[in-house]
């Protein structure tokens, strides 16, 4: 069914800013002192504060048991089944004994259940976080530092003890950063991490995870490396030593045709089967296959972090804190939008920080949320974080009783499980062709982030990505789109002449638009575009204006010296600076420019018909602009954003308005300004535009 065409007729007087203020009784908004609000105390405020920091008190009393409990229980068990192999595997990524992956899958999950605001994300071990932790533990506690010179073997007990201390202290420091940032409402920082940046960073981290697992897949002994280009050196070493593995195990194939296990088999069953085969055949004793090893039953007592390590870990801790929060809040907002509830970014920082802080005291390493587990938690019927609490209780049962059953599990199987779980993140390489079509600036951010992370490692790569993204944002503001607008026939709508064929330039009026907010960084670009599009040389106008002002000052001094009345010394009203708008570009370039572009909007008072406008923003519009072939001579600014209080207040604070430019030259729309310009033609159209 076609929409019927309707003609809308609006009749109202032409409104400028002064008339609008009188009509609407405009007045400055009353100032509010935020510190007074902070110091207020009442029962309602205290209760609201309690619910904000303990969200479980808000939703748990209203929990619909009959409708949601069964789904949460099934979802919690499903997530726990996934968390078991992932916890063991991701501990290897962190360079720690596998049992600490189980600890990190229990404590933080239960803490988030109490303080988190997302109902569906699954907090716990995550590949990206684990590999970031692993880069720290392997750089600060390399195998070479624990080498026994007598028999040329690594003292794994001493090495693992120190690495656990590093990881747990790092977790405490990450938690302190996140809690602190959350309490000062710094959750908005995630807005500076654009989606292309986060997706590219996780893709590059996935590549690092994949490379780090090759030594377990092929059974290689590789050197511990960290820092820039460490990934490149690792790949070269794997390629160099790979023939040794092939020669050492010639012709080893699975009997009965071989092949991978069927895809339909769930990962926990594969782990159980692999553990049973390893135990029955004796892979470690007979073939030297690296296995998980001893998994002690029971929980470990809390241990205070080592403050002496803070200085070594502070940089990595901040990077891990930002990355972990960015991933968690991104997933949390996706699920919240899908299910119709809100996620508090500041409280999420506090909840994730407490999970890491308390988890670090119980020897956990930093955690975030897993994309794959979160999808499972949602798809299997999870409705609230009760599903997370149930999964943590199931993990507690495994830690207390069942963990030791997996001591013969080959690490190669865990490495394969990690690589399989990376499939979703590695598929993000498909972003490249889609970004090439949609937004090449975002594609540039994606590529720079990926290359920097691959070459410089995770911490430096993130820093380079953020700095590059901010610089690119600055460049975008400096290179806005400028256009001359024309009136769409028989309407009060003005659009770009280059885009709309039916838009016509109003005779005698130039409507100039900038797509970006004006500020010091793009002021020169604005001035150059104004001269190019409308023939207005702001520098020339300023120089003539300055000469005129000097001339007036000299006249004032002479009159004062001769003690003549001031009224007699006043310059004639006909004194003016003139510029021919129809001058050629060569004539404009030949003008002498002896002044800077500073204070253009305050000094240039134009009587010409050009309308300068911008799209939006808080900075004031510039009042430069002439240009007419028909000879209208009313200076005006028309912008639907400029009647807004903050911009007008800023214009007043900057002393923009004076005797020649008043609020009567500021209009509520472009069409009002054009109409005003057309209604005030110059008496002599042949004279050039006057600038006073």
């Amino acid at each position: 069914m076609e929409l019927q065409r309707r003609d809308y007729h609006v009749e109202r007087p032409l409104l400028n800013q002064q008339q609008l203020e009188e009509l609407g009784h405009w007045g400055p908004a009353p100032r509010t002192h935020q510190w007074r609000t902070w110091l207020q105390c009442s029962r309602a405020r205290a209760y609201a504060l309690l619910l904000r920091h303990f969200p479980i008190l808000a939703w748990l009393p209203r929990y619909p048991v009959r409708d949601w409990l069964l789904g949460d229980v099934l979802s919690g068990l499903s997530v726990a089944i996934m968390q078991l192999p992932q916890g063991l595997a991701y501990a290897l990524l962190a360079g720690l004994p596998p049992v600490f992956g189980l600890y990190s899958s229990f404590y933080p999950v239960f803490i988030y259940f109490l303080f988190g605001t997302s109902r569906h994300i699954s907090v716990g071990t995550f590949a990206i976080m684990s590999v970031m932790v692993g880069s720290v533990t392997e750089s600060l506690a390399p195998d070479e530092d624990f080498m026994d010179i007598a028999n040329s073997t690594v003292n794994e007990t001493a090495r693992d003890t120190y690495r656990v201390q590093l990881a747990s202290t790092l977790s405490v420091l990450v938690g302190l950063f996140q809690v602190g940032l959350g309490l000062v409402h710094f959750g908005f920082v995630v807005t500076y991490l654009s989606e292309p940046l986060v997706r590219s960073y996780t893709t590059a981290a996935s590549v690092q995870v994949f490379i780090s697992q090759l030594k377990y897949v092929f059974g290689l002994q590789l050197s511990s490396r960290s820092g820039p280009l460490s990934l490149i050196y690792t790949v070269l070493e794997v390629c160099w030593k790979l023939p040794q593995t092939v020669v050492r195990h010639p012709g080893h194939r699975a009997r009965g045709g071989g092949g991978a296990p069927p895809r339909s088999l769930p990962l926990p069953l594969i782990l159980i089967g692999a553990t049973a085969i390893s135990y029955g055949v004796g892979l470690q004793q007979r073939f030297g296959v690296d296995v998980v090893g001893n998994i002690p039953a029971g929980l470990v007592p809390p241990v205070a972090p080592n403050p002496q390590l803070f200085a070594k870990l502070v940089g990595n801790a901040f990077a891990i804190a930002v990355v972990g929060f960015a991933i968690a809040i991104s997933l949390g907002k996706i699920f919240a939008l899908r299910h119709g509830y809100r996620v508090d970014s500041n409280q999420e920082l506090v909840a994730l920080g407490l999970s890491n802080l308390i988890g670090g005291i119980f020897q956990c390493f930093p955690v975030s949320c897993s994309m794959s587990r979160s999808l499972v938690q949602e798809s299997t019927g999870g409705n609230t974080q009760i599903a997370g609490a149930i999964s943590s209780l199931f993990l507690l049962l495994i830690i207390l009783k069942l963990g030791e059953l997996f001591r013969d599990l080959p690490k190669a199987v865990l490495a394969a499980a990690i690589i399989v779980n990376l499939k979703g993140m590695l598929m993000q390489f498909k972003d490249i062709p889609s970004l090439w079509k949609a937004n090449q600036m975002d594609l540039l951010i994606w590529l720079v982030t990926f290359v920097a992370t691959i070459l410089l490692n995770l911490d430096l790569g993130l820093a380079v990505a953020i700095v590059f993204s901010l610089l690119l944002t600055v460049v975008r503001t400096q290179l806005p789109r400028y256009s001359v607008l024309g009136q769409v026939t028989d309407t009060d709508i003005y659009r770009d002449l280059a885009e709309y064929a039916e838009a016509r330039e109003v005779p005698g009026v130039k409507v100039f638009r900038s797509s970006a907010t004006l500020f010091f960084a793009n002021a020169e670009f604005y001035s150059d575009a104004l001269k190019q599009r409308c023939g207005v040389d702001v520098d020339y106008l300023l120089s003539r204006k300055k000469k005129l002002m000097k001339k007036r000052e000299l006249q004032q001094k002479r009159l004062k010296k001769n003690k003549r009345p001031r009224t007699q010394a006043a310059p004639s009203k006909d004194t003016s600076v003139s510029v021919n708008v129809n001058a050629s570009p060569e004539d404009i370039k030949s003008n002498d420019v002896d002044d800077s572009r500073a204070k253009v909007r305050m000094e240039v008072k134009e009587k010409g018909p050009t309308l300068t406008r911008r799209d939006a923003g808080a900075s004031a519009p510039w009042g430069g602009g002439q240009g007419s072939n028909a000879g209208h001579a009313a200076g005006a600014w028309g912008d639907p954003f400029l009647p807004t209080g903050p911009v007008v207040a800023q214009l007043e604070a900057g002393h923009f308005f004076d005797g020649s430019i008043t609020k009567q030259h500021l209009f509520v729309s472009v069409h009002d300004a054009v109409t005003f310009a057309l209604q005030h033609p110059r008496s002599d159209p042949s004279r050039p535009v006057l600038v006073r």
Side-chain angles (χ1 to χ4, degrees):
M1 180 178 178
E2 296 184 358
L3 295 176
Q4 296 180 355
R5 179 178 177 180
R6 297 181 179 179
D7 295 328
Y8 294 91
H9 302 277
V10 178
E11 293 185 3
R12 62 170 176 81
L14 186 151
L15 288 177
N16 56 43
Q17 178 63 28
Q18 182 176 344
Q19 294 169 336
L20 179 64
E21 291 179 3
E22 294 174 355
L23 180 65
H25 299 286
W26 176 81
R31 295 184 60 185
T32 58
H33 299 282
Q34 188 65 32
W35 60 270
R36 293 181 178 177
T37 305
W38 294 340
L39 296 179
Q40 291 178 355
C41 184
S42 64
R43 182 176 181 180
R45 179 175 172 80
Y47 182 70
L49 190 66
L50 180 66
L51 293 183
R52 188 176 68 183
H53 291 294
F54 292 89
I56 189 174
L57 299 179
W59 61 265
L60 189 59
R62 300 194 300 268
Y63 181 80
V65 177
R66 293 183 178 181
D67 298 331
W68 286 3
L69 183 59
L70 180 60
D72 282 338
V73 171
L74 295 177
S75 176
L77 294 177
S78 301
V79 171
I81 292 173
M82 287 188 67
Q83 247 175 348
L84 170 61
Q86 288 185 357
L88 296 173
Y90 293 159
L92 297 180
L93 288 180
L96 305 174
V99 68
F100 291 93
L102 298 180
Y103 299 154
S104 301
S105 300
F106 166 64
Y107 291 105
V109 178
F110 193 76
I111 298 300
Y112 185 84
F113 161 70
L114 299 175
F115 296 97
T117 61
S118 174
R119 302 176 187 172
H120 295 90
I121 65 172
S122 175
V123 174
T125 56
F126 183 49
I128 306 302
M129 301 288 288
S130 299
V131 76
M132 294 181 76
V133 175
S135 65
V136 176
T137 57
E138 292 182 1
S139 62
L140 297 182
D143 293 342
E144 292 77 9
D145 292 353
F146 300 92
M147 187 71 68
D148 191 346
I149 303 178
N151 52 13
S152 299
T153 59
V154 177
N155 188 345
E156 295 184 356
T157 302
R159 181 201 63 186
D160 291 344
T161 300
Y162 186 58
R163 286 185 175 181
V164 168
Q165 187 180 32
L166 284 172
S168 60
T169 303
L170 181 65
S171 182
V172 170
L173 200 54
V174 168
L176 290 175
F177 273 125
Q178 292 175 333
V179 172
L181 293 177
L183 292 178
V184 298
H185 290 195
F186 209 67
F188 70 91
V189 71
V190 74
T191 59
Y192 293 98
L193 301 177
S194 62
E195 183 179 0
L197 188 152
V198 174
R199 291 176 66 88
S200 176
Y201 185 79
T202 54
T203 304
S206 301
V207 173
Q208 292 218 6
V209 173
F210 176 82
I211 299 300
S212 68
Q213 295 307 293
L214 293 180
K215 62 180 180 180
Y216 297 112
V217 172
F218 296 110
L220 299 175
Q221 295 293 330
L222 303 180
S223 303
S224 298
R225 292 187 174 90
S226 61
L229 300 180
S230 60
L231 186 69
I232 307 300
Y233 291 131
T234 301
V235 172
L236 294 177
E237 187 176 3
V238 169
C239 296
W240 179 260
K241 293 185 176 181
L242 192 58
Q244 302 176 10
T245 303
V246 176
V247 172
R248 187 168 50 193
H249 303 287
H252 276 208
R253 297 181 182 178
R255 297 180 180 178
R263 289 188 177 182
S264 58
L265 287 179
L267 182 58
L269 292 182
I270 296 176
L271 297 183
I272 294 174
T275 303
I277 294 175
S278 175
Y279 176 77
V281 177
L283 293 180
Q284 182 184 23
Q285 295 79 10
R286 297 177 59 184
F287 302 102
V289 173
D290 198 7
V291 297
V292 169
N294 183 41
I295 299 180
L299 298 174
V300 294
V303 178
N306 186 357
Q308 297 179 352
L309 298 175
F310 283 180
K312 298 180 181 179
L313 302 174
V314 62
N316 293 283
F318 185 78
I320 294 174
V322 172
V323 172
F325 171 64
I327 295 172
I329 194 63
S330 299
L331 284 177
K333 287 187 175 181
I334 290 174
F335 291 117
L337 183 63
R338 185 180 301 176
H339 294 275
Y341 63 92
R342 291 191 61 185
V343 172
D344 187 345
S345 59
N346 294 310
Q347 181 59 25
E348 284 296 290
L349 261 175
V350 173
L352 199 60
L354 289 175
S355 299
N356 283 309
L357 176 61
I358 299 176
I361 296 176
F362 287 93
Q363 301 190 32
C364 301
F365 55 86
V367 299
S368 183
C369 72
S370 168
M371 185 183 305
S372 59
R373 291 199 311 269
S374 299
L375 290 173
V376 169
Q377 181 167 323
E378 182 208 27
S379 61
T380 53
N383 297 291
T384 64
Q385 280 300 328
I386 286 182
I390 292 174
S391 68
S392 65
L393 293 177
F394 188 79
L395 262 294
L396 176 62
L397 177 63
I398 294 176
I399 293 172
L400 295 178
K401 298 295 182 181
L402 305 178
E404 58 184 9
L405 299 178
F406 294 94
R407 62 184 179 184
D408 290 314
L409 177 64
K411 290 183 178 180
V413 176
L414 293 178
I418 292 174
I419 294 174
V420 170
N421 285 326
L422 295 176
K423 177 183 177 182
M425 284 181 285
L426 292 175
M427 292 294 288
Q428 293 176 156
F429 277 112
K430 292 182 178 180
D431 292 350
I432 296 178
S434 61
L435 289 176
W436 172 260
K437 298 177 182 179
N439 192 320
Q440 296 184 5
M441 284 291 188
D442 286 343
L443 174 61
L444 187 59
I445 294 176
W446 200 102
L447 294 176
V448 170
T449 302
F450 182 83
V451 173
T453 306
I454 291 294
L455 297 181
L456 302 178
N457 220 333
L458 294 170
D459 48 356
L460 293 178
L462 178 63
V464 170
I466 294 177
V467 171
F468 179 78
S469 180
L470 294 177
L471 289 178
L472 196 59
T473 301
V474 173
V475 171
R476 286 177 174 178
T477 61
Q478 289 183 306
L479 299 176
R481 180 181 178 183
Y482 300 107
S483 56
V484 177
L485 305 185
Q487 183 182 18
V488 180
T489 307
D490 297 329
T491 69
D492 61 347
I493 300 173
Y494 293 80
R495 291 294 182 265
D496 192 346
L497 291 171
E499 294 181 350
Y500 288 80
E502 292 299 321
R504 297 289 184 268
E505 190 170 1
V506 179
V509 177
K510 290 284 187 180
V511 184
F512 181 75
R513 180 180 67 183
S514 170
S515 63
T517 299
L518 291 170
F519 67 111
F520 69 92
N522 61 9
E524 293 189 5
F525 296 100
Y526 182 92
S527 178
D528 295 340
L530 185 63
K531 180 170 65 175
Q532 179 184 2
R533 299 293 184 90
C534 301
V536 179
D537 190 343
V538 177
D539 292 331
Y540 174 69
L541 298 179
L542 279 176
S543 64
R544 297 297 300 270
K545 180 69 174 180
K546 186 176 182 180
K547 292 177 182 179
L548 176 62
M549 296 300 296
K550 288 183 178 179
K551 183 178 179 180
R552 289 181 176 178
E553 290 177 1
L554 289 176
Q555 291 177 349
Q556 293 287 349
K557 289 180 180 179
R558 290 173 184 173
L559 291 176
K560 186 176 181 180
K561 183 177 181 180
N562 296 331
K563 297 182 179 180
R564 295 165 59 183
R566 180 166 185 160
T567 56
Q568 299 179 8
S572 173
K573 294 182 179 179
D574 294 333
T575 304
S576 61
V577 180
S578 64
V579 56
N580 191 348
V581 177
N582 299 322
S584 63
E586 290 76 11
D587 295 333
I588 294 176
K589 293 180 180 178
S590 65
N591 293 330
D592 294 332
V593 179
D594 58 359
D595 195 13
S596 66
R597 293 176 174 84
K599 298 185 179 179
V600 176
R601 67 176 176 86
M602 300 179 188
E603 300 296 337
V604 178
K605 309 302 182 184
E606 55 97 3
K607 294 292 183 180
T610 299
L611 309 176
T612 61
R613 76 166 286 203
R614 58 176 179 72
D615 276 350
S619 61
W622 286 29
Q626 293 78 27
S628 171
N629 295 326
H632 299 290
W637 289 267
D639 193 329
F641 293 97
L642 292 177
T644 57
V647 178
V648 176
Q650 186 177 2
L651 291 176
E652 291 180 330
H655 305 289
F656 179 80
F657 302 109
D658 58 12
S660 58
I661 297 296
T662 67
K663 291 183 180 180
Q664 295 178 356
H665 294 86
L666 186 63
F667 296 86
V668 298
S669 70
V670 176
H671 190 63
D672 285 57
V674 172
T675 304
F676 177 83
L678 294 175
Q679 291 177 354
H680 294 75
R682 292 201 304 268
S683 59
D684 184 5
S686 63
R687 289 186 58 189
V689 177
L690 301 181
V691 181
R692 298 189 184 276

